[in-house]
Amino acid sequence: MTLLVISIKMYIFAGAMSYEALWHRLTPIYDAGEAKAIVRWLLDVRFGLSMADILCDKMKELSKEDQKALERMMQRLESGEPIQYISGVADFFGRSFHVAPGVLIPRPETAELCEYVLSCRKSEKKILDIGTGSGCIAITLALEIPEAKVTAWDISDDALLIAQENAKALGANIAFEKRDILDTSLSTSQTWDVIVSNPPYIKPKERNGMEKNVLDYEPHLALFAPEQNPIIFYQRIGDYAWQSLNHGGQLFFELNPLTADDVESYLSNLRFSDIEIRQDQFGKQRFLKAKKI
């Protein structure tokens, strides 16, 4: 093979690995702005290349091993796999959380839920997060309210393992427990000042309007509620909260806007007071706060 042919092949490969070429590969799945953001995130988190480095053409300095790794990751992205699972990292409340296919990827709306809890804080001493997943809610509240004792429940062993790893990495002291809120024999001997939850709330019939990368890769156990009773998790958590919250204790939920009114009615029938539904940044009924009188 002549030196000229080798040079041409190297030039073609370098062009294929350019920032421009990479994000264009994702446009069949994402719009241009999101495709650019995903590639920037991948290059930064996985390969340490800032936007300034990209503009200075430092992608050409990647080792052969890194180039191969980048190509494998791009192929996974082209299949629709979320960037958070590929990089193993998700940003939440200004911190980096490890995520894997066994846990739900933390959403901006859930960060708003944490802000809601923090904005209503009083002298909380005991906080329970039900359905902790990656641990993002429990860890955030533990770090933002260091005097509180935070407990986190989940039914998934995979989720609990990842949440424990995140708590250790971020320096949060959390008591993790495997508990099923649908278990009717669940003890109510423990008491809490705050109970917070982002339970499974998507109706199965909403699948058609969901992104393929969510449906194909994120855990359905953490996404979907039963079609026959889509608020069952809210009901069971509400029942448990009514029995285990201290006087004046607060219950916080992330909601499905389609069932927000049903959840409010159920809690009202349980005699919770000061029930408030708050909209998210997109104007949807997304959060609920209720108080045990």
Side-chain angles (χ1 to χ4, degrees):
M1 186 179 292
T2 67
L3 186 62
L4 176 60
V5 172
I6 293 173
S7 298
I8 291 173
K9 285 191 172 184
M10 289 179 64
Y11 176 79
I12 292 172
F13 182 75
M17 296 298 284
S18 71
Y19 169 64
E20 188 83 8
L22 292 179
W23 72 256
H24 271 290
R25 287 172 60 177
L26 301 183
T27 52
I29 303 175
Y30 305 101
D31 62 43
E34 191 169 4
K36 291 177 183 179
I38 288 171
V39 173
R40 285 199 304 270
W41 167 260
L42 180 62
L43 293 173
D44 183 11
V45 171
R46 178 58 180 81
F47 301 98
L49 294 173
S50 66
M51 194 61 205
D53 293 329
I54 295 170
L55 294 174
C56 292
D57 219 15
K58 289 193 176 182
M59 285 182 61
K60 292 179 180 179
E61 299 176 13
L62 290 174
S63 67
K64 289 183 179 179
E65 290 75 17
D66 281 346
Q67 289 175 359
K68 291 178 181 178
L70 176 57
E71 176 58 27
R72 289 194 296 270
M73 292 176 183
M74 286 300 303
Q75 290 176 10
R76 291 169 66 184
L77 283 170
E78 287 176 296
S79 74
E81 186 173 353
I83 179 61
Q84 292 89 344
Y85 289 154
I86 295 171
S87 66
V89 176
D91 282 343
F92 185 84
F93 220 87
R95 301 180 177 95
S96 293
F97 285 77
H98 170 55
V99 293
V103 300
L104 201 65
I105 296 169
R107 296 320 201 255
E109 293 89 345
T110 307
E112 288 187 69
L113 175 63
C114 289
E115 291 174 350
Y116 191 15
V117 176
L118 293 170
S119 71
C120 299
R121 60 178 293 194
K122 297 177 182 178
S123 57
E124 292 83 6
K125 295 179 181 178
K126 296 178 67 179
I127 299 174
L128 173 63
D129 172 28
I130 298 177
T132 196
S134 65
C136 60
I137 294 175
I139 292 169
T140 297
L141 296 180
L143 294 176
E144 297 295 325
I145 315 174
E147 67 274 17
K149 293 182 179 180
V150 181
T151 299
W153 291 354
D154 207 288
I155 193 175
S156 165
D157 290 323
D158 290 340
L160 287 170
L161 180 60
I162 290 172
Q164 288 170 336
E165 292 174 352
N166 281 325
K168 183 177 180 181
L170 292 167
N173 184 19
I174 311 284
F176 291 101
E177 300 175 7
K178 186 175 182 179
R179 295 284 187 273
D180 181 2
I181 192 61
L182 299 185
D183 181 357
T184 55
S185 65
L186 196 65
S187 171
T188 56
S189 59
Q190 291 177 286
T191 59
W192 314 95
D193 298 304
V194 169
I195 293 177
V196 58
S197 183
N198 174 23
Y201 60 60
I202 300 173
K203 295 181 178 182
K205 68 180 182 181
E206 295 180 71
R207 288 172 181 263
N208 292 339
M210 295 176 65
E211 297 292 339
K212 185 176 183 294
N213 59 346
V214 175
L215 282 174
D216 289 354
Y217 293 97
E218 297 204 53
H220 288 196
L221 182 67
L223 288 170
F224 293 103
E227 187 68 56
Q228 64 272 22
N229 185 4
I231 68 167
I232 187 171
F233 290 100
Y234 296 102
Q235 291 172 334
R236 295 295 177 266
I237 295 169
D239 293 342
Y240 176 79
W242 183 253
Q243 303 213 17
S244 62
L245 276 173
N246 292 320
H247 177 71
Q250 298 180 105
L251 173 63
F252 292 88
F253 280 134
E254 182 171 328
L255 300 168
N256 182 340
L258 297 177
T259 56
D261 292 339
D262 294 331
V263 175
E264 180 182 18
S265 295
Y266 189 84
L267 296 180
S268 179
N269 289 335
L270 286 176
R271 300 194 307 279
F272 276 95
S273 67
D274 301 338
I275 299 175
E276 173 184 276
I277 292 180
R278 180 177 290 192
Q279 295 181 343
D280 64 16
Q281 59 183 316
F282 303 108
K284 295 183 178 181
Q285 294 188 107
R286 185 67 65 186
F287 313 109
L288 180 146
K289 179 188 72 169
K291 180 180 178 181
K292 180 180 178 181
I293 56 175

